[in-house]
Amino acid sequence: MPTALPSRPTAERRMSWPETVRFLLLIARVRLLDLRLHVIVSLGYGFGDDQLLRLMRRWLALHEAIGVLLPGMPEPEHVREVRAIIRYVRSV
């Protein structure tokens, strides 16, 4: 599969050590929330449960914080889908 290389190299922004540590902690927190969300869903709770909605909002807040550390990176598709679900739940 051919790859197009940029004609001019672009300067990449490097994270400082504190930013790197914050990024890794945010990723770890996202992973823990993922596990908690899977447990709640496997127990059969629906969107009517406040705990599930609160966890989803915290999960989105963590993704927003990660987005601040990674400017110029597009938001992952699954995060956009969760945002759409929460908007729908709020409107109902």
Side-chain angles (χ1 to χ4, degrees):
M1 180 175 194
T3 304
L5 297 175
S7 58
R8 284 183 239 140
T10 58
E12 292 184 17
R13 179 185 165 275
R14 294 184 71 134
M15 281 196 234
S16 65
W17 279 108
E19 287 176 327
T20 303
V21 169
R22 178 163 168 68
F23 176 73
L24 292 175
L25 289 174
L26 288 170
I27 294 294
R29 289 178 65 192
V30 165
R31 183 65 184 132
L32 287 173
L33 278 178
D34 280 341
L35 293 174
R36 287 181 66 188
L37 285 167
H38 284 291
V39 167
I40 288 174
V41 170
S42 68
L43 292 175
Y45 296 112
F47 287 107
D49 184 32
D50 289 340
Q51 184 180 10
L52 178 62
L53 201 53
R54 274 186 273 128
L55 285 176
M56 288 175 72
R57 287 182 180 143
R58 283 178 39 200
W59 185 83
L60 284 174
L62 289 172
H63 275 283
E64 287 175 11
I66 291 170
V68 169
L69 289 174
L70 302 173
M73 294 294 292
E75 188 174 62
E77 181 65 30
H78 64 280
V79 176
R80 276 183 259 153
E81 290 173 4
V82 171
R83 265 189 221 294
I85 291 169
I86 287 183
R87 267 190 243 122
Y88 174 76
V89 169
R90 280 187 201 159
S91 67
V92 171

